């Protein structure tokens, strides 16, 4: 059973960079899946931030694209999120998640696996 | 971008009652790419339904999904105490993946 665990600083200063990692256990980051980051957004429910494949292909939400980088570290079996120039509006619980099925089969691109989430507060 | 609008925002019901939650897409979408999640406060979202009507592994049969683009429905046939939570619909057929704003099912 695949398990995901987020980690990173719980407090980031305004204009700084939010950095989180998601460790994968019970499975390989090298499997043919999409690995995503999601956060709640006031008034919008949940907001998909972006995703990365095992090969390093990325897709980002256009609303955040200019401030986001997602990367993968196969040697450590984890993937990471960097969000630049943060403001108080970026304060949220950040979740990592994985698709149910294969990279090429979009009918399986719903989130079957989730981390427990980590709270990041943007404040000085 | 596909915008999903959920209604109502809040549903106040008693245990044992039937809950009907709606999700409307801003354009016609295939039912293949519509999912529902449950989120209990303090926990991660949990997948309930994918492909508009297929229950995820371990999900009780009191949860059912139906509909076709642009209108989808999640039905909880008889509310159990553990079902009081927030429910989100999601479209995953194209990028960006989008979620509805959520429906809170609260105890009346």
């Amino acid at each position: 059973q695949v398990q995901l665990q987020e980690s990173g600083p719980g407090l980031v200063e305004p204009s700084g960079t939010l950095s989180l990692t998601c460790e994968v256990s019970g499975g390989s980051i090298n499997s043919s899946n999409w690995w995503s980051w999601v956060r709640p957004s006031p008034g919008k429910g949940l907001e998909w931030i972006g995703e990365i494949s095992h090969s390093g292909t990325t897709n980002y939400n256009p609303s955040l694209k200019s401030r986001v980088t997602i990367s993968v570290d196969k040697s450590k079996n984890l993937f990471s999120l960097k969000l630049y120039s943060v403001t108080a509006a970026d304060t949220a619980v950040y979740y990592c998640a994985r698709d149910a099925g294969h990279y090429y089969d979009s009918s399986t691109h719903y989130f079957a696996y989730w981390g427990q989430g980590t709270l990041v507060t943007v404040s000085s | 971008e596909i915008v999903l609008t959920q209604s109502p925002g809040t549903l106040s019901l008693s245990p044992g009652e039937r809950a009907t939650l709606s999700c409307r897409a801003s354009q016609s979408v295939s039912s293949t790419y519509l999912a529902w999640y449950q989120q209990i406060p303090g926990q991660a979202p949990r997948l309930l339904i994918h492909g508009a009507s297929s229950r995820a592994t371990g999900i009780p049969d009191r949860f059912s999904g139906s509909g076709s683009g642009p209108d989808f429905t999640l039905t909880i046939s008889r509310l159990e105490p553990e079902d009081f939570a927030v429910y989100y619909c999601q479209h995953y057929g194209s990028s960006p993946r989008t979620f509805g704003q959520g429906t809170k099912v609260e105890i009346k």
Side-chain angles (χ1 to χ4, degrees):
Chain A
Q1 176 77 341
V2 172
Q3 293 187 322
L4 307 175
Q5 179 67 60
E6 305 89 348
S7 62
L11 182 65
V12 181
E13 292 195 352
S15 78
T17 298
L18 180 158
S19 297
L20 297 175
T21 61
C22 180
E23 291 188 45
V24 180
S25 58
S28 173
I29 195 76
N30 208 33
S31 61
S32 299
N33 298 104
W34 288 104
W35 305 88
S36 288
W37 289 95
V38 178
R39 71 179 185 180
S41 178
K44 294 185 180 180
L46 297 171
E47 180 176 40
W48 174 75
I49 299 169
E51 64 190 1
I52 190 166
S53 73
H54 64 290
S55 62
T57 302
T58 54
N59 295 304
Y60 299 124
N61 192 321
S63 66
L64 295 167
K65 186 174 183 177
S66 63
R67 299 196 292 129
V68 173
T69 298
I70 297 175
S71 59
V72 64
D73 188 333
K74 294 180 182 179
S75 67
K76 295 182 179 178
N77 215 38
L78 59 78
F79 63 109
S80 301
L81 169 70
K82 288 189 183 296
L83 182 64
Y84 308 99
S85 304
V86 297
T87 69
D90 296 309
T91 294
V93 175
Y94 287 76
Y95 297 98
C96 56
R98 201 208 83 175
D99 287 345
H102 197 274
Y103 173 83
Y104 291 115
D105 183 0
S106 57
S107 73
T108 67
H109 290 178
Y110 48 90
F111 299 125
Y113 303 96
W114 294 77
Q116 64 185 26
T118 188
L119 174 62
V120 179
T121 301
V122 179
S123 176
S124 55
Chain B
E1 174 176 324
I2 294 173
V3 177
L4 299 176
T5 302
Q6 292 185 241
S7 61
T10 302
L11 203 49
S12 298
L13 295 168
S14 300
E17 288 193 295
R18 181 185 188 91
T20 303
L21 288 66
S22 295
C23 175
R24 171 167 286 183
S26 58
Q27 55 189 275
S28 186
V29 300
S30 170
S31 59
T32 300
Y33 306 115
L34 197 287
W36 289 92
Y37 300 85
Q38 176 195 64
Q39 188 171 30
I40 294 168
Q43 297 185 17
R46 176 175 73 145
L47 176 70
L48 297 175
I49 302 284
H50 60 90
S53 60
S54 297
R55 270 189 302 276
T57 303
I59 300 303
D61 61 7
R62 64 180 181 273
F63 291 93
S64 63
S66 63
S68 58
D71 293 308
F72 300 91
T73 300
L74 174 70
T75 301
I76 310 172
S77 59
R78 295 172 309 280
L79 283 165
E80 298 287 340
E82 61 267 29
D83 299 336
F84 292 92
V86 179
Y87 294 83
Y88 297 99
C89 57
Q90 184 217 3
H91 179 258
Y92 52 93
S94 59
S95 186
R97 308 187 197 194
T98 55
F99 292 86
Q101 82 278 22
T103 290
K104 181 180 181 181
V105 179
E106 65 176 21
I107 300 176
K108 186 174 181 180

